[in-house]
Amino acid sequence: MVDIRSFRTDDAAAVSGIVGRCLREINSRDYPAEIITRMCAHFTPERIEQLAGERQMVVAVEADTVVGTVSRDGNKVFTMFVEPAMIGRGVGRRLMNHIEALAAADGHDHMETGASITAHEFYLRLGYADVRTSETEFGFNYILRKPLAARMPE
Ligand SMILES: CC(C)(COP(=O)(O)OP(=O)(O)OC[C@H]1O[C@@H](n2cnc3c(N)ncnc32)[C@H](O)[C@@H]1OP(=O)(O)O)[C@@H](O)C(=O)NCCC(=O)NCCS
């Protein structure tokens, strides 16, 4: 059973590990090696801990093991990653439902995300719609939005 809870400082190494494995095993299909290497170097445990201090970061946990993460700054979505072996089992949807509900409870009327090429179809499936595209230090991204209805976090 997968639970969603707030990030704790001692999750930093596990979250960094998930991000690194996703980048090398999944996102590397859509992005050049140079970008993957740069992103892996960026998302160290120290950087994850710093980001968790600047944003609201949550983790998905199965039997005490962190299997996914996402964070938000207001209504903006960041660092959405699911352990490669757990992909396709609804963890990403659970994490997104959770932070969307938190943003809605704060009064936001829409959510916005910057999606990798890899995650674009996932966000479309969750009801997000394309707004524009962007080029970042981490390569090509889609910017998508989804209207939020008022609801409580799970
Ligand atoms: C993108 C990602 C977070 C999705 O997480 P996940 O746990 O596999 O997603 P879920 O199982 O909750 O899928 C939710 C829905 O999206 C669909 N979906 C997910 N990935 C999809 C894809 N690549 N193409 C088409 N549909 C997809 C699922 O079929 C599911 O649909 P359903 O609930 O109607 O059956 C995960 O694949 C991942 O971590 N990828 C690598 C890292 C990455 O790109 N992160 C995003 C950075 S912007």
Side-chain angles (χ1 to χ4, degrees):
M1 197 182 109
V2 173
D3 290 318
I4 311 292
R5 64 159 171 79
S6 297
F7 172 91
R8 298 193 298 242
T9 304
D10 62 359
D11 295 325
V15 168
S16 172
I18 290 172
V19 174
R21 284 188 290 280
C22 276
L23 291 169
R24 284 187 292 269
E25 296 173 28
I26 312 292
N27 300 90
S28 58
R29 299 171 193 160
D30 299 313
Y31 290 89
E34 172 250 319
I35 286 179
I36 298 297
T37 302
R38 192 170 342 134
M39 289 185 80
C40 286
H42 180 79
F43 289 108
T44 60
E46 295 72 24
R47 179 72 179 154
I48 294 292
E49 201 176 325
Q50 181 193 346
L51 290 173
E54 297 166 4
R55 302 170 185 162
Q56 182 172 27
M57 187 176 288
V58 298
V59 292
V61 179
E62 186 180 59
D64 284 339
T65 300
V66 178
V67 294
T69 187
V70 70
S71 56
R72 73 164 181 129
D73 182 359
N75 65 345
K76 304 249 182 342
V77 182
F78 295 95
T79 52
M80 167 84 246
F81 291 93
V82 171
E83 177 68 44
M86 293 287 289
I87 281 175
R89 291 172 50 179
V91 175
R93 183 187 281 278
R94 291 270 312 277
L95 284 163
M96 286 303 300
N97 281 347
H98 189 86
I99 60 161
E100 287 168 4
L102 291 169
D106 282 352
H108 294 287
D109 65 359
H110 74 277
M111 210 70 187
E112 183 170 306
T113 190
S116 63
I117 296 166
T118 323
H120 187 218
E121 293 288 335
F122 164 72
Y123 284 112
L124 293 175
R125 187 79 183 156
L126 264 52
Y128 285 73
D130 287 321
V131 175
R132 60 188 168 87
T133 61
S134 90
E135 278 293 340
T136 74
E137 59 173 326
F138 297 136
F140 180 88
N141 261 0
Y142 296 91
I143 308 297
L144 302 98
R145 283 189 190 159
K146 174 183 177 175
L148 292 176
R151 59 197 162 103
M152 294 300 292
E154 69 173 82

